[in-house]
Amino acid sequence: MNDLYKNLIDNNKKWVESKLKLDPEFFNKLAQGQSPPILWIGCADSRVPANEIIGAEPGEVFVHRNIANMVVHTDMNMLSVLDYAVNVLKVKHVIVCGHYGCGGVKAAMGQQSVGLIDNWIRHIKDVYRLHKKELDSISNEKQRFDTFVELNVKEQVFDLAKTSIIQNAWKNNQELQVHGWVYGVGSGIIKDLGVNVGNDSQLDDVYQLNF
Ligand code: CO
């Protein structure tokens, strides 16, 4: 067995020891259940580990990750995570966290086929088409890429707000805010995009549901 694989289990043993040294009850407490106040929707990219970059401990953040932190309305995986987080765990905040240098967003800017994933990336291309005028006007490619990453996060925040799950929670006066962030893989710094949605008033009429 190669060292890289074996090291994972050894590292786990060391991690358990370090946690128990700080708090002998650490795992006993976690075994009682979870009530995280935050749902994180992030990119699957290995450089953006949700808990680590916000200093969260196990039990503090419910996490869903996919390529380019997308909110696709027919994605049963995302919808199930969202439903459980909102209706069972009663999270107070949903954070969509994208990141600069995102491979999925980069692929969506180009026309090269990359296989089956083209069909996932097409959802990101839809964001480009929505903001084509603004994006096409940015001549610097890196700047255009960074702006596209930010616009994609903002669209996913509004796509979350359009779900029946979040609108139903708001109709029931459940305290629930949706936020958009972008993480800098080269700096470690999170940029808050300032999109904070706590009701359906920012959505086009056609998306506002009556229950
Ligand atoms: Co990414």
Side-chain angles (χ1 to χ4, degrees):
M1 209 179 291
N2 69 44
D3 285 348
L4 189 137
Y5 178 76
K6 193 180 161 292
N7 282 346
L8 301 176
I9 303 295
D10 290 343
N11 288 344
N12 169 255
K13 288 197 183 101
K14 284 179 206 152
W15 176 74
V16 170
E17 281 167 19
S18 71
K19 286 292 178 193
L20 289 174
K21 203 179 260 180
L22 290 169
D23 179 4
E25 291 302 310
F26 185 77
F27 295 103
N28 288 338
K29 282 187 229 162
L30 285 172
Q32 305 300 312
Q34 62 168 339
S35 59
I38 294 158
L39 166 62
W40 174 281
I41 297 181
C43 184
D45 193 300
S46 63
R47 298 165 296 177
V48 196
N51 282 59
E52 202 166 334
I53 63 176
I54 53 169
E57 289 293 326
E60 292 179 347
V61 54
F62 202 61
V63 173
H64 177 77
R65 292 169 67 179
N66 61 40
I67 288 170
N69 40 270
M70 297 302 287
V71 174
V72 174
H73 284 163
T74 50
D75 177 1
M76 276 303 289
N77 186 352
M78 181 279 298
L79 290 172
S80 302
V81 168
L82 181 64
D83 183 61
Y84 192 76
V86 171
N87 292 317
V88 180
L89 298 172
K90 309 274 187 200
V91 297
K92 301 267 188 286
H93 303 274
V94 183
I95 297 163
V96 178
C97 186
H99 67 101
Y100 297 115
C102 184
V105 174
K106 179 84 182 166
M109 283 175 78
Q111 289 171 279
Q112 179 61 48
S113 168
V114 276
L116 176 133
I117 200 182
D118 294 338
N119 303 288
W120 184 260
I121 286 168
R122 205 225 71 224
H123 293 284
I124 317 170
K125 288 180 181 283
D126 291 344
V127 175
Y128 198 103
R129 184 167 55 87
L130 271 172
H131 299 276
K132 189 172 166 52
K133 218 173 157 189
E134 179 183 351
L135 289 167
D136 280 353
S137 74
I138 305 169
S139 54
N140 181 292
E141 195 176 328
K142 160 114 180 20
Q143 223 176 326
R144 188 163 75 246
F145 183 16
D146 288 352
T147 305
F148 190 16
V149 164
E150 293 176 1
L151 289 170
N152 186 49
V153 168
K154 287 182 188 168
E155 285 298 331
Q156 304 322 303
V157 167
F158 287 108
D159 281 343
L160 274 170
K162 289 170 195 165
T163 62
S164 59
I165 298 163
I166 292 206
Q167 290 199 42
N168 194 43
W170 284 336
K171 280 281 170 344
N172 293 323
N173 295 316
Q174 195 171 322
E175 187 195 328
L176 184 63
Q177 293 265 343
V178 189
H179 314 273
W181 292 355
V182 179
Y183 175 75
V185 288
S187 69
I189 303 289
I190 287 167
K191 178 177 175 183
D192 186 341
L193 296 178
V195 274
N196 304 292
V197 186
N199 58 61
D200 65 3
S201 67
Q202 290 179 61
L203 298 178
D204 279 5
D205 294 355
V206 77
Y207 295 117
Q208 294 179 13
L209 299 173
N210 293 317
F211 292 88

